[in-house]
Amino acid sequence: MDSLIEKIKSEGRLLDGDILKVDSFLNHQIDVSFMKEIGAEFYRLFSDCGVNKILTVEASGIGIACITAQFFNCSAVFAKKSKSANIGDDVYTSVAHSYTYNRDNVITVSKSFLSPKDNLLIVDDFLARGAALTALVDIAEKSGATVSGVGIVIEKAYQGGGDTLRARGVRIESLARILRMNKEEGIVFSA
Amino acid sequence: MDSLIEKIKSEGRLLDGDILKVDSFLNHQIDVSFMKEIGAEFYRLFSDCGVNKILTVEASGIGIACITAQFFNCSAVFAKKSKSANIGDDVYTSVAHSYTYNRDNVITVSKSFLSPKDNLLIVDDFLARGAALTALVDIAEKSGATVSGVGIVIEKAYQGGGDTLRARGVRIESLARILRMNKEEGIVFSA
């Protein structure tokens, strides 16, 4: 998605520790009009799949999921990273290690909101090692829902999480795929 | 907002511990088409205020903020509850106690995304004791931004947080105000 690559080039910042900061438009401040372009692109890619629900994980995925859900005219569900006092026990869970926060997150979805009748598009902001996404797919599988596909805004392809999941048969479409990034070359995108 | 009150009456569940569960449409599964009605109502209430940015706190506020931002044709910013490895030190912070999770959250917004030029509408799903909202207002004030108002989906008026902030001069519009709720009477809304 050329406009996304341009946006990353103009606003993204490469920091030590293999960090790409895109918090001016994607995951802290959200450029909502640009997010609509992202939602429209996910719709273009997955509109023929019969998707009836968008699944993501808090927090950065929620805005993407809500904007994308408008195009599919469906609801969004976000997995929770903290077990709140009131979510109840009737839940699907899976463990995802967060490298950003350096801790294990048990992510949780109430059984009320996923079922074998659901046909899911999973969305998230980043795909790197794939921990969060693998946990979401795991939860979807536990519920019996179909996963028609995964829409990712930025994939760090060199970290391999996407390819591992693709090898399991999951259809993943990433709007920007980064082959490598470093101070010498900057950010190198897949063609 | 009559449609919201009907929605709460039909889908909300009153649990022990003064908990109103509305996770089928508001804060776990998100009924995005209904959320657009909420965003439109916030726009009706605040459209003449010159709002240029929507501010909220993760996680449940993010969907509301993004959908509402579409009506104002502006960006959304969400305060973070965890200090991530890459947010940096140039931040505004404030402490908010979460009664849902029974812990103190230091909420954080990067200084890059709030300034004296900003005219904010703060939105959130619930207002009860007002801890999260007070922290957001505090961060806004630290940044020098104007807070034109606060849009809340459901206010538990009997918990007093809204009135405390109104007494400080903050304009708060809640789309549903609960006067009391208990097993005998159910949920009693303000007229």
Side-chain angles (χ1 to χ4, degrees):
Chain A
M1 186 179 169
D2 291 344
S3 60
L4 173 62
I5 290 172
E6 289 310 309
K7 190 97 168 163
I8 296 167
K9 285 180 178 172
S10 66
E11 297 190 29
R13 281 177 298 147
L14 199 51
L15 305 186
D16 289 337
D18 197 49
I19 291 167
L20 173 62
K21 276 193 90 161
V22 286
D23 57 357
S24 66
F25 66 95
L26 188 60
N27 50 21
H28 186 13
Q29 181 167 255
I30 299 171
D31 180 336
V32 175
S33 73
F34 186 71
M35 197 67 85
K36 284 166 87 167
E37 293 182 40
I38 286 172
E41 181 66 4
F42 285 147
Y43 185 68
R44 189 184 70 78
L45 290 163
F46 294 103
S47 57
D48 60 351
C49 298
V51 168
N52 78 327
K53 199 167 277 186
I54 311 295
L55 177 66
T56 190
V57 59
E58 65 178 3
S60 309
I62 297 174
I64 302 164
C66 286
I67 300 292
T68 301
Q70 292 181 312
F71 289 91
F72 287 87
N73 198 23
C74 72
S75 295
V77 171
F78 63 91
K80 305 209 172 195
K81 284 180 180 168
S82 305
K83 189 160 164 40
S84 84
N86 61 23
I87 194 170
D89 295 321
D90 218 17
V91 294
Y92 301 110
T93 62
S94 189
V95 176
H97 184 75
S98 168
Y99 294 90
T100 311
Y101 292 95
N102 190 26
R103 67 179 180 222
D104 280 331
N105 289 315
V106 177
I107 72 166
T108 305
V109 176
S110 169
K111 288 187 178 177
S112 305
F113 305 131
L114 291 178
S115 83
K117 291 179 185 166
D118 287 319
N119 185 342
L120 305 175
L121 173 64
I122 298 175
V123 299
D124 210 354
D125 56 342
F126 271 97
L127 169 56
R129 294 177 180 87
L133 182 56
T134 302
L136 286 172
V137 170
D138 181 42
I139 282 176
E141 287 175 349
K142 285 175 178 171
S143 78
T146 300
V147 178
S148 272
V150 174
I152 296 293
V153 182
I154 302 173
E155 179 178 354
K156 290 176 168 175
Y158 57 95
Q159 293 201 326
D163 288 340
T164 303
L165 276 156
R166 288 182 182 99
R168 283 175 52 186
V170 180
R171 178 185 169 196
I172 302 175
E173 302 280 358
S174 299
L175 305 187
R177 294 187 81 230
I178 297 174
L179 296 180
R180 59 189 181 276
M181 56 187 205
N182 53 61
K183 295 216 163 146
E184 292 69 37
E185 298 173 284
I187 304 166
V188 180
F189 294 92
S190 165
Chain B
M1 188 179 170
D2 292 343
S3 60
L4 173 62
I5 290 173
E6 288 309 308
K7 190 96 167 163
I8 295 168
K9 285 180 177 171
S10 66
E11 296 189 30
R13 281 177 300 145
L14 199 51
L15 304 186
D16 290 338
D18 196 50
I19 291 166
L20 173 62
K21 276 193 90 159
V22 285
D23 56 359
S24 66
F25 67 95
L26 188 60
N27 50 22
H28 185 14
Q29 182 167 255
I30 300 171
D31 181 336
V32 174
S33 72
F34 186 72
M35 196 67 86
K36 284 166 86 167
E37 294 183 38
I38 287 172
E41 181 66 5
F42 286 146
Y43 185 69
R44 190 185 68 79
L45 291 163
F46 295 103
S47 57
D48 60 351
C49 299
V51 168
N52 77 326
K53 201 168 277 188
I54 312 293
L55 176 66
T56 191
V57 59
E58 65 178 3
S60 307
I62 298 173
I64 301 165
C66 286
I67 299 292
T68 301
Q70 292 181 312
F71 290 90
F72 288 87
N73 198 21
C74 71
S75 295
V77 171
F78 64 91
K80 305 210 173 194
K81 285 180 180 168
S82 304
K83 190 160 164 36
S84 84
N86 61 24
I87 194 170
D89 295 322
D90 217 16
V91 294
Y92 300 111
T93 62
S94 188
V95 176
H97 184 75
S98 168
Y99 294 89
T100 310
Y101 292 96
N102 190 26
R103 66 176 181 227
D104 282 331
N105 290 315
V106 177
I107 72 168
T108 305
V109 176
S110 168
K111 288 187 178 176
S112 306
F113 306 130
L114 291 178
S115 84
K117 292 179 184 167
D118 287 319
N119 185 342
L120 305 175
L121 173 63
I122 298 176
V123 300
D124 209 354
D125 57 341
F126 271 96
L127 168 57
R129 295 177 179 87
L133 181 55
T134 302
L136 285 173
V137 170
D138 181 43
I139 282 176
E141 287 175 349
K142 285 175 178 170
S143 77
T146 301
V147 178
S148 272
V150 175
I152 296 293
V153 182
I154 302 173
E155 180 179 354
K156 290 177 169 177
Y158 57 94
Q159 294 201 324
D163 288 340
T164 302
L165 276 156
R166 287 183 183 98
R168 282 175 54 185
V170 180
R171 178 185 170 197
I172 303 175
E173 303 280 359
S174 300
L175 304 187
R177 294 187 80 231
I178 297 174
L179 297 179
R180 58 189 182 277
M181 57 186 203
N182 53 62
K183 294 218 163 143
E184 292 70 36
E185 297 174 283
I187 304 166
V188 181
F189 293 93
S190 166

